[in-house]
Amino acid sequence: AGSSRGAGGVKLGGCRQQAARANRPPMSSQLQLRDAAVLMVCLVAALLSFRLGGDVQLQQSWSVPVDTGAYANGFYADASEELPPPLITDLDGDGVVDVLVVTPGGALQLLDTSVLHSAVLAEQVGESGWRSLPVRAEATLRSSVRVTSGRRPVAVAAGYLEHEQLAPGPGARAAPRQQVIAVLTDGWAVILLNASLHVLWESVVAH
């Protein structure tokens, strides 16, 4: 009798497990529901990002006029007349970005970017319709005897000669560091200038 009851209990338990399996949704349908839920969340997030995110627009700000008369053809620079790109960095450590450009005539010009957010710049509109930044300082790269041969700049870089100084005490600020400007000419002359475009020294690199 005991054995028959045990067998009946086993059979009853097996029937219950089969019924539970039959009522359980298939694994594929569970995955489909989960994928649909994830897709819905992604769509909602994308919609919110498009509605709440700001648009990025590029607007004309300022330009630098170039005297093309210094080029051989009078219009554009050929391979032997190409100049380094503008240098954009904070030269004097005042927290305002400076723009340094090289002119076809062999000069360095430091543009005044402090007027970018003032009404002064709005009045200085050039022939092209773009606003022009005023020149704050300028330095010629010609030699002391005004020789232009071998004085065309081919590379311009800026950096620090001194390590950053620590603040003298809590809450105090260290003195701002000023960068120097190194110019390499096509005559293998290295010219070092300070942040105000004053020449510090010049040396010819052996080649």
Side-chain angles (χ1 to χ4, degrees), residues 125-143:
V125 179
E127 298 179 355
S128 62
W130 287 52
R131 296 170 295 182
S132 300
L133 290 179
V135 178
R136 191 172 70 190
E138 184 173 1
T140 179
L141 298 179
R142 297 179 180 180
S143 63

Side-chain angles (χ1 to χ4, degrees), residues 29-202:
S29 62
Q30 291 181 359
L31 293 178
Q32 292 177 359
L33 292 176
R34 185 182 305 170
D35 295 341
V38 172
L39 180 60
M40 185 62 66
V41 171
C42 293
L43 290 176
V44 172
L47 180 61
L48 291 177
S49 64
F50 281 119
R51 295 188 61 180
L52 300 179
D55 296 334
V56 178
Q57 298 180 354
L58 299 179
Q59 297 180 353
Q60 299 177 357
S61 179
W62 52 270
S63 66
V64 179
V66 177
D67 182 14
T68 57
Y71 297 136
N73 56 24
F75 296 98
Y76 57 87
D78 57 21
S80 63
E81 297 173 324
E82 292 182 355
L83 299 174
L87 185 64
I88 303 177
T89 183
D90 185 5
L91 291 173
D92 49 10
D94 61 351
V96 179
V97 175
D98 301 303
V99 179
L100 185 69
V101 296
V102 181
T103 68
L108 290 179
Q109 289 184 346
L110 183 61
L111 306 182
D112 187 4
T113 59
S114 62
V115 299
L116 281 175
H117 303 287
S118 65
V120 178
L121 186 62
E123 301 175 357
Q124 299 178 356
V125 179
E127 298 179 355
S128 62
W130 287 52
R131 296 170 295 182
S132 300
L133 290 179
V135 178
R136 191 172 70 190
E138 184 173 1
T140 179
L141 298 179
R142 297 179 180 180
S143 63
S144 57
V145 293
R146 312 298 293 179
V147 175
T148 59
S149 176
R151 307 295 293 187
R152 181 176 63 87
V154 295
V156 178
Y160 299 99
L161 293 180
E162 300 176 354
H163 294 287
E164 185 176 4
Q165 301 293 330
L166 298 179
R173 294 183 178 181
R177 292 189 301 167
Q178 293 192 353
Q179 300 188 62
V180 294
I181 306 163
V183 181
L184 176 65
T185 69
D186 59 348
W188 294 94
V190 178
I191 307 172
L192 194 72
L193 305 93
N194 62 11
S196 300
L197 299 189
H198 295 153
V199 177
L200 299 177
W201 52 262
E202 177 180 344

